[in-house]
PDB file of all heavy atoms in Angstrom:
ATOM      1  N   PHE A  32       9.672 -41.256  40.730  1.00  0.00           N
ATOM      2  CA  PHE A  32       9.701 -40.848  39.316  1.00  0.00           C
ATOM      3  C   PHE A  32      10.459 -39.514  39.145  1.00  0.00           C
ATOM      4  O   PHE A  32      10.942 -39.214  38.044  1.00  0.00           O
ATOM      5  CB  PHE A  32       8.302 -40.701  38.751  1.00  0.00           C
ATOM      6  CG  PHE A  32       7.632 -42.013  38.550  1.00  0.00           C
ATOM      7  CD1 PHE A  32       6.590 -42.370  39.357  1.00  0.00           C
ATOM      8  CD2 PHE A  32       8.075 -42.894  37.530  1.00  0.00           C
ATOM      9  CE1 PHE A  32       5.959 -43.600  39.123  1.00  0.00           C
ATOM     10  CE2 PHE A  32       7.438 -44.074  37.353  1.00  0.00           C
ATOM     11  CZ  PHE A  32       6.406 -44.443  38.164  1.00  0.00           C
ATOM     12  N   LYS A  63      22.384 -28.648  -7.793  1.00  0.00           N
ATOM     13  CA  LYS A  63      23.142 -27.633  -7.109  1.00  0.00           C
ATOM     14  C   LYS A  63      22.381 -27.017  -5.878  1.00  0.00           C
ATOM     15  O   LYS A  63      23.010 -26.304  -5.030  1.00  0.00           O
ATOM     16  CB  LYS A  63      23.616 -26.512  -8.012  1.00  0.00           C
ATOM     17  CG  LYS A  63      24.548 -27.005  -9.120  1.00  0.00           C
ATOM     18  CD  LYS A  63      24.942 -25.864 -10.022  1.00  0.00           C
ATOM     19  CE  LYS A  63      25.919 -26.404 -11.083  1.00  0.00           C
ATOM     20  NZ  LYS A  63      26.317 -25.359 -11.998  1.00  0.00           N
ATOM     21  N   GLU A  82      23.910 -19.949   3.144  1.00  0.00           N
ATOM     22  CA  GLU A  82      22.719 -19.365   3.662  1.00  0.00           C
ATOM     23  C   GLU A  82      21.466 -19.752   2.877  1.00  0.00           C
ATOM     24  O   GLU A  82      21.478 -19.758   1.651  1.00  0.00           O
ATOM     25  CB  GLU A  82      22.869 -17.832   3.589  1.00  0.00           C
ATOM     26  CG  GLU A  82      21.813 -17.086   4.354  1.00  0.00           C
ATOM     27  CD  GLU A  82      22.111 -15.599   4.452  1.00  0.00           C
ATOM     28  OE1 GLU A  82      23.268 -15.221   4.580  1.00  0.00           O
ATOM     29  OE2 GLU A  82      21.164 -14.857   4.398  1.00  0.00           O
ATOM     30  N   VAL A  95       5.964 -29.303   0.446  1.00  0.00           N
ATOM     31  CA  VAL A  95       6.104 -30.269  -0.627  1.00  0.00           C
ATOM     32  C   VAL A  95       6.554 -29.595  -1.926  1.00  0.00           C
ATOM     33  O   VAL A  95       5.922 -29.676  -2.961  1.00  0.00           O
ATOM     34  CB  VAL A  95       4.801 -31.074  -0.907  1.00  0.00           C
ATOM     35  CG1 VAL A  95       5.072 -32.266  -1.787  1.00  0.00           C
ATOM     36  CG2 VAL A  95       4.156 -31.515   0.414  1.00  0.00           C
ATOM     37  N   TRP A  98      10.546 -29.213  -8.066  1.00  0.00           N
ATOM     38  CA  TRP A  98      11.189 -28.395  -9.032  1.00  0.00           C
ATOM     39  C   TRP A  98      10.606 -28.624 -10.469  1.00  0.00           C
ATOM     40  O   TRP A  98      10.326 -29.785 -10.797  1.00  0.00           O
ATOM     41  CB  TRP A  98      12.657 -28.653  -9.116  1.00  0.00           C
ATOM     42  CG  TRP A  98      13.453 -28.285  -7.933  1.00  0.00           C
ATOM     43  CD1 TRP A  98      13.636 -28.994  -6.761  1.00  0.00           C
ATOM     44  CD2 TRP A  98      14.122 -27.061  -7.726  1.00  0.00           C
ATOM     45  NE1 TRP A  98      14.418 -28.279  -5.875  1.00  0.00           N
ATOM     46  CE2 TRP A  98      14.714 -27.078  -6.434  1.00  0.00           C
ATOM     47  CE3 TRP A  98      14.311 -25.885  -8.480  1.00  0.00           C
ATOM     48  CZ2 TRP A  98      15.493 -26.004  -5.968  1.00  0.00           C
ATOM     49  CZ3 TRP A  98      15.050 -24.848  -7.967  1.00  0.00           C
ATOM     50  CH2 TRP A  98      15.613 -24.935  -6.742  1.00  0.00           C
ATOM     51  N   LEU A 108       2.478 -27.104  -2.432  1.00  0.00           N
ATOM     52  CA  LEU A 108       1.101 -26.987  -1.918  1.00  0.00           C
ATOM     53  C   LEU A 108       1.049 -25.904  -0.876  1.00  0.00           C
ATOM     54  O   LEU A 108       2.033 -25.582  -0.247  1.00  0.00           O
ATOM     55  CB  LEU A 108       0.579 -28.346  -1.334  1.00  0.00           C
ATOM     56  CG  LEU A 108       1.131 -28.823   0.009  1.00  0.00           C
ATOM     57  CD1 LEU A 108       0.527 -28.109   1.207  1.00  0.00           C
ATOM     58  CD2 LEU A 108       0.874 -30.288   0.156  1.00  0.00           C
ATOM     59  N   PHE A 118       0.478 -24.203  -6.016  1.00  0.00           N
ATOM     60  CA  PHE A 118       0.939 -22.919  -6.494  1.00  0.00           C
ATOM     61  C   PHE A 118       2.302 -23.143  -7.192  1.00  0.00           C
ATOM     62  O   PHE A 118       2.975 -24.167  -6.979  1.00  0.00           O
ATOM     63  CB  PHE A 118       1.072 -21.971  -5.337  1.00  0.00           C
ATOM     64  CG  PHE A 118      -0.182 -21.446  -4.743  1.00  0.00           C
ATOM     65  CD1 PHE A 118      -0.935 -22.278  -3.892  1.00  0.00           C
ATOM     66  CD2 PHE A 118      -0.653 -20.192  -5.034  1.00  0.00           C
ATOM     67  CE1 PHE A 118      -2.119 -21.854  -3.368  1.00  0.00           C
ATOM     68  CE2 PHE A 118      -1.858 -19.727  -4.476  1.00  0.00           C
ATOM     69  CZ  PHE A 118      -2.604 -20.563  -3.645  1.00  0.00           C
ATOM     70  N   LEU A 140       3.250 -34.098  -7.178  1.00  0.00           N
ATOM     71  CA  LEU A 140       4.022 -35.344  -7.147  1.00  0.00           C
ATOM     72  C   LEU A 140       5.311 -35.242  -8.003  1.00  0.00           C
ATOM     73  O   LEU A 140       6.373 -35.370  -7.475  1.00  0.00           O
ATOM     74  CB  LEU A 140       3.149 -36.492  -7.698  1.00  0.00           C
ATOM     75  CG  LEU A 140       1.872 -36.763  -6.882  1.00  0.00           C
ATOM     76  CD1 LEU A 140       1.019 -37.865  -7.603  1.00  0.00           C
ATOM     77  CD2 LEU A 140       2.209 -37.231  -5.482  1.00  0.00           C
ATOM     78  N   THR A 141       5.180 -35.050  -9.268  1.00  0.00           N
ATOM     79  CA  THR A 141       6.324 -35.048 -10.215  1.00  0.00           C
ATOM     80  C   THR A 141       5.925 -34.375 -11.506  1.00  0.00           C
ATOM     81  O   THR A 141       4.732 -34.308 -11.793  1.00  0.00           O
ATOM     82  CB  THR A 141       6.889 -36.417 -10.422  1.00  0.00           C
ATOM     83  OG1 THR A 141       8.138 -36.357 -11.127  1.00  0.00           O
ATOM     84  CG2 THR A 141       5.959 -37.328 -11.197  1.00  0.00           C
ATOM     85  N   LEU A 143       5.665 -34.726 -15.555  1.00  0.00           N
ATOM     86  CA  LEU A 143       5.590 -35.775 -16.616  1.00  0.00           C
ATOM     87  C   LEU A 143       6.455 -35.288 -17.804  1.00  0.00           C
ATOM     88  O   LEU A 143       7.054 -36.111 -18.505  1.00  0.00           O
ATOM     89  CB  LEU A 143       4.127 -35.913 -17.050  1.00  0.00           C
ATOM     90  CG  LEU A 143       3.821 -37.009 -18.037  1.00  0.00           C
ATOM     91  CD1 LEU A 143       4.192 -38.361 -17.462  1.00  0.00           C
ATOM     92  CD2 LEU A 143       2.339 -37.028 -18.386  1.00  0.00           C
ATOM     93  N   ASN A 144       6.421 -34.004 -18.053  1.00  0.00           N
ATOM     94  CA  ASN A 144       7.293 -33.381 -19.106  1.00  0.00           C
ATOM     95  C   ASN A 144       7.532 -31.941 -18.647  1.00  0.00           C
ATOM     96  O   ASN A 144       7.295 -31.617 -17.496  1.00  0.00           O
ATOM     97  CB  ASN A 144       6.628 -33.427 -20.455  1.00  0.00           C
ATOM     98  CG  ASN A 144       5.240 -32.852 -20.464  1.00  0.00           C
ATOM     99  OD1 ASN A 144       4.949 -31.829 -19.916  1.00  0.00           O
ATOM    100  ND2 ASN A 144       4.331 -33.492 -21.150  1.00  0.00           N
ATOM    101  N   ASP A 145       7.989 -31.078 -19.529  1.00  0.00           N
ATOM    102  CA  ASP A 145       8.377 -29.716 -19.113  1.00  0.00           C
ATOM    103  C   ASP A 145       7.220 -28.852 -18.566  1.00  0.00           C
ATOM    104  O   ASP A 145       7.423 -27.944 -17.749  1.00  0.00           O
ATOM    105  CB  ASP A 145       8.982 -28.935 -20.300  1.00  0.00           C
ATOM    106  CG  ASP A 145      10.290 -29.515 -20.589  1.00  0.00           C
ATOM    107  OD1 ASP A 145      10.971 -30.221 -19.820  1.00  0.00           O
ATOM    108  OD2 ASP A 145      10.830 -29.276 -21.771  1.00  0.00           O
ATOM    109  N   LEU A 155     -14.312 -35.713  -2.238  1.00  0.00           N
ATOM    110  CA  LEU A 155     -15.501 -36.426  -1.730  1.00  0.00           C
ATOM    111  C   LEU A 155     -16.320 -36.815  -2.883  1.00  0.00           C
ATOM    112  O   LEU A 155     -16.915 -35.948  -3.570  1.00  0.00           O
ATOM    113  CB  LEU A 155     -16.284 -35.521  -0.759  1.00  0.00           C
ATOM    114  CG  LEU A 155     -17.499 -36.119  -0.099  1.00  0.00           C
ATOM    115  CD1 LEU A 155     -17.123 -37.259   0.771  1.00  0.00           C
ATOM    116  CD2 LEU A 155     -18.154 -35.106   0.753  1.00  0.00           C
ATOM    117  N   ILE A 174       1.129 -26.385 -16.286  1.00  0.00           N
ATOM    118  CA  ILE A 174       1.541 -25.296 -15.355  1.00  0.00           C
ATOM    119  C   ILE A 174       1.399 -23.926 -16.079  1.00  0.00           C
ATOM    120  O   ILE A 174       1.430 -22.893 -15.426  1.00  0.00           O
ATOM    121  CB  ILE A 174       2.942 -25.449 -14.775  1.00  0.00           C
ATOM    122  CG1 ILE A 174       3.949 -25.438 -15.913  1.00  0.00           C
ATOM    123  CG2 ILE A 174       2.986 -26.679 -13.906  1.00  0.00           C
ATOM    124  CD1 ILE A 174       5.428 -25.314 -15.382  1.00  0.00           C
ATOM    125  N   GLN A 189      -3.214 -39.313 -25.540  1.00  0.00           N
ATOM    126  CA  GLN A 189      -2.055 -39.809 -26.287  1.00  0.00           C
ATOM    127  C   GLN A 189      -2.448 -40.910 -27.258  1.00  0.00           C
ATOM    128  O   GLN A 189      -1.928 -41.025 -28.321  1.00  0.00           O
ATOM    129  CB  GLN A 189      -0.998 -40.286 -25.355  1.00  0.00           C
ATOM    130  CG  GLN A 189      -0.259 -39.164 -24.553  1.00  0.00           C
ATOM    131  CD  GLN A 189       0.681 -39.586 -23.530  1.00  0.00           C
ATOM    132  OE1 GLN A 189       0.558 -40.739 -23.009  1.00  0.00           O
ATOM    133  NE2 GLN A 189       1.591 -38.746 -23.149  1.00  0.00           N
ATOM    134  N   GLY A 198     -13.165 -35.884 -16.247  1.00  0.00           N
ATOM    135  CA  GLY A 198     -14.158 -36.392 -15.270  1.00  0.00           C
ATOM    136  C   GLY A 198     -15.405 -35.585 -15.222  1.00  0.00           C
ATOM    137  O   GLY A 198     -16.514 -36.112 -15.230  1.00  0.00           O
ATOM    138  N   GLY A 203     -21.740 -35.031 -17.874  1.00  0.00           N
ATOM    139  CA  GLY A 203     -22.803 -34.305 -18.561  1.00  0.00           C
ATOM    140  C   GLY A 203     -22.392 -33.076 -19.303  1.00  0.00           C
ATOM    141  O   GLY A 203     -23.151 -32.461 -19.954  1.00  0.00           O
TER     142      GLY A 203
END
Side-chain angles (χ1 to χ4, degrees):
F32 289 110
K63 295 180 181 179
E82 189 172 327
V95 193
W98 292 88
L108 72 79
F118 288 76
L140 299 173
T141 190
L143 188 60
N144 56 40
D145 290 343
L155 182 61
I174 62 170
Q189 289 174 337

